[in-house]
Amino acid sequence: ETGVTQSPTHLIKTRGQQVTLRCSSQSGHNTVSWYQQALGQGPQFIFQYYREEENGRGNFPPRFSGLQFPNYSSELNVNALELDDSALYLCATINRSYTFGSGTRLTVV
Amino acid sequence: GESVGLHLPTLSVQEGDNSIINCAYSNSASDYFIWYKQESGKGPQFIIDIRSNMDKRQGQRVTVLLNKTVKHLSLQIAATQPGDSAVYFCAENAGNMLTFGGGTRLMVKP
């Protein structure tokens, strides 16, 4: 176990819907980042939060948004889901290095 | 469980042999590099890292080599075991993000 917990592990949504994914860390690190991993590819950076503020963003549209809470847990929200949003979504906490959770497998139908 | 890396390059080795997985990175400003192992249904698992002021680092059964001149990174696994079968990714860090390579599937034959 990595100490980074993501929920849910799997979910299925319909195109156009909204989804919220969650991430928490046992050790409560103040920096968290989110990645999208399409099948057969390496993870791609979505954004990073430090002390509840976004401090870095990859090439993802504004319908991908996030939150970080005072206890350093985090959410990833995706609006107006598209079929291409189907992927494994990973969060990582950052201390000495990047520690990933097991991810949420999102399927958009 | 789900499959990770359905169409990735594959390295097939005999149990007990040494494995070498290669990676080319793109950003000459990257100052930190990490190798991850990913099994089906799981997130990337940290294996070993190296900073840009080093060219070699050893862990338990693993060695990472960094050649900044040609922007190349390699992971060597000694005495490869069936449990090493997985997809391996290199990642480079510049600023606030990791950029991952495309991954290599390692298959260990008993």
Side-chain angles (χ1 to χ4, degrees), chain A residues 74-89:
Chain A
S74 177
E75 288 181 354
L76 164 65
N77 299 288
V78 187
N79 294 322
L81 283 165
E82 301 176 359
L83 297 179
D84 285 348
D85 295 333
S86 295
L88 181 68
Y89 288 85

Side-chain angles (χ1 to χ4, degrees), chain B residues 12-49:
Chain B
S12 184
V13 300
Q14 202 69 40
E15 181 180 357
D17 287 352
N18 296 335
S19 302
I20 300 176
I21 301 172
N22 296 304
C23 175
Y25 65 92
S26 57
N27 188 348
S28 55
S30 295
D31 58 2
Y32 178 56
F33 304 86
I34 312 170
W35 279 100
Y36 285 97
K37 172 186 179 183
Q38 189 171 26
E39 297 171 290
S40 287
K42 298 183 178 181
Q45 175 189 354
F46 174 93
I47 301 173
I48 192 168
D49 58 3

